[in-house]
Amino acid sequence: MSNVGLIIEERAADLGNFLVGRLLPFRQKRAVGPFVFIDHMGPAHLKDYQNLDVGPHPHIGLSTLTYLFEGSIQHKDSLGNDLEITPGAVNWMNGGKGVVHSERTPEYLRQTEKMLHGLQIWIALPKHLEEMEPSFHHIEADKLPTWSENGVDFKLIAGKYKDLESPVPVHSPLYYIEIKAKEDAKINLGDGLFGESALYILDGKVIDGGNEYGEKQLLIAKDASLCEIEIKAGSTIYIFGGDAFPEERFIYWNFVSSSKDRLEQAKEDWKNHKFPTIPGDSDYVPLPDYTKK
């Protein structure tokens, strides 16, 4: 019997000068545990005149997780951080009461051909931490827990799984696991998973309950504790989830909150330039008006 309760197909979303595949939120599933937003960036082959340039923009009420498969992004923020994120490392930024950051192609790559491929994820903060002081953490790839079983490699990118814990400083019970299969295998993670759970197929195929699923599909589990699947050789998948919050989360642009009034305040603060600024990056991304067609 299949444990898949909902299948979400990756949908194209336009970030202005860059197309991404949107996974969450979805009209029938706004969140999976505390995960409220996931974009699949690329894979994009950028010419020597094409660059990622996401100018200074604000966040509140969430943590952002950037995880690259290929390429490089220069992260700058209003806390004074200025560093390059490379494949396998984790950028973890807590927006809290308000932070501003930009994401651009590093200067040394701007006149070269390059690839960009990765996931950008938003994780809502618990209600009592939504107004916490913003913070930033960069975790190198070799600091993340890894293990192998039956020709399958696992990496715990964030959260907890059984007795393992990622050094990424999360604020609620969750997990985010990378799984790469070198050969066909059956895997069962169910006894270490909890809350709401989903599986994203980046490459390859998985089989559950006799049904085959392919790349760019997000599978929402009926029961996290029943996560037993077949994975085909060469596949890369991500299993993520955790405990859902009792309160609904609302999203407007880059703002996440359990309070609609707080979203309105954030919108006004951004329009009136009341957010902190980024040293050395003075661009300004206007607040979008979603009422316009």
Side-chain angles (χ1 to χ4, degrees):
M1 181 179 295
S2 175
N3 188 34
V4 176
L6 178 66
I7 303 167
I8 300 175
E9 302 282 350
E10 192 172 299
R11 292 107 52 215
D14 190 352
L15 295 186
N17 64 343
F18 197 73
L19 278 176
V20 298
R22 179 76 31 92
L23 294 164
L24 284 178
F26 184 64
R27 62 183 179 277
Q28 292 168 267
K29 188 65 177 172
R30 308 303 298 178
V32 176
F35 291 76
V36 295
F37 179 96
I38 301 179
D39 267 356
H40 175 204
M41 303 182 294
H45 181 264
L46 302 177
K47 303 293 186 182
D48 55 4
Y49 56 86
Q50 295 176 313
N51 292 294
L52 176 71
D53 276 307
V54 180
H57 59 281
H59 288 290
I60 65 163
L62 54 76
S63 300
T64 64
L65 190 160
T66 303
Y67 186 76
L68 296 181
F69 313 131
E70 293 180 271
S72 177
I73 294 176
Q74 194 73 25
H75 165 99
K76 292 185 180 182
D77 63 42
S78 53
L79 300 170
N81 297 291
D82 182 355
L83 56 82
E84 180 182 358
I85 180 169
T86 54
V90 174
N91 262 22
W92 177 264
M93 185 177 69
N94 294 309
K97 66 181 184 180
V99 73
V100 177
H101 75 137
S102 62
E103 299 158 294
R104 303 183 188 274
T105 299
E107 198 62 41
Y108 73 96
L109 293 175
R110 295 185 74 85
Q111 280 77 48
T112 66
E113 294 193 5
K114 55 263 173 189
M115 291 293 295
L116 186 59
H117 191 198
L119 291 173
Q120 292 211 305
I121 296 169
W122 297 356
I123 298 170
L125 288 167
K127 187 174 181 178
H128 70 284
L129 293 177
E130 285 184 314
E131 297 299 316
M132 68 183 291
E133 290 293 328
S135 62
F136 176 83
H137 305 269
H138 179 82
I139 295 89
E140 295 293 350
D142 60 3
K143 303 300 183 185
L144 302 175
T146 61
W147 70 102
S148 298
E149 295 176 10
N150 304 320
V152 180
D153 295 330
F154 299 83
K155 180 186 293 183
L156 181 60
I157 297 172
K160 292 183 179 181
Y161 175 72
K162 294 186 176 179
D163 60 346
L164 298 174
E165 184 172 1
S166 165
V168 175
V170 303
H171 294 282
S172 66
L174 61 89
Y175 46 86
Y176 175 35
I177 304 168
E178 178 182 79
I179 302 171
K180 294 189 173 188
K182 290 177 282 194
E183 53 191 67
D184 293 357
K186 288 186 178 181
I187 60 173
N188 188 344
L189 295 178
D191 57 349
L193 306 184
F194 53 88
E196 298 182 335
S197 189
L199 183 157
Y200 171 60
I201 306 167
L202 177 69
D203 294 304
K205 295 178 181 177
V206 301
I207 299 171
D208 175 74
N211 299 312
E212 186 175 276
Y213 303 97
E215 63 184 36
K216 297 186 178 181
Q217 288 187 314
L218 179 64
L219 313 179
I220 309 297
K222 296 176 185 175
D223 186 339
S225 66
L226 297 177
C227 186
E228 182 175 14
I229 60 169
E230 296 178 51
I231 183 170
K232 306 302 287 184
S235 299
T236 300
I237 65 175
Y238 293 85
I239 291 178
F240 64 91
D243 291 343
F245 296 126
E247 321 87 7
E248 183 180 358
R249 289 301 185 274
F250 305 103
I251 299 177
Y252 187 95
W253 192 33
N254 303 306
F255 305 133
V256 174
S257 180
S258 59
S259 164
K260 290 184 177 180
D261 288 343
R262 181 65 180 92
L263 292 184
E264 292 302 315
Q265 181 63 55
K267 288 157 67 173
E268 290 304 310
D269 287 347
W270 183 247
K271 285 191 288 187
N272 293 312
H273 299 271
K274 291 184 177 180
F275 272 81
T277 57
I278 302 173
D281 197 339
S282 59
D283 288 352
Y284 176 78
V285 178
L287 184 81
D289 183 354
Y290 294 121
T291 64
K292 294 181 178 179
K293 299 296 183 180

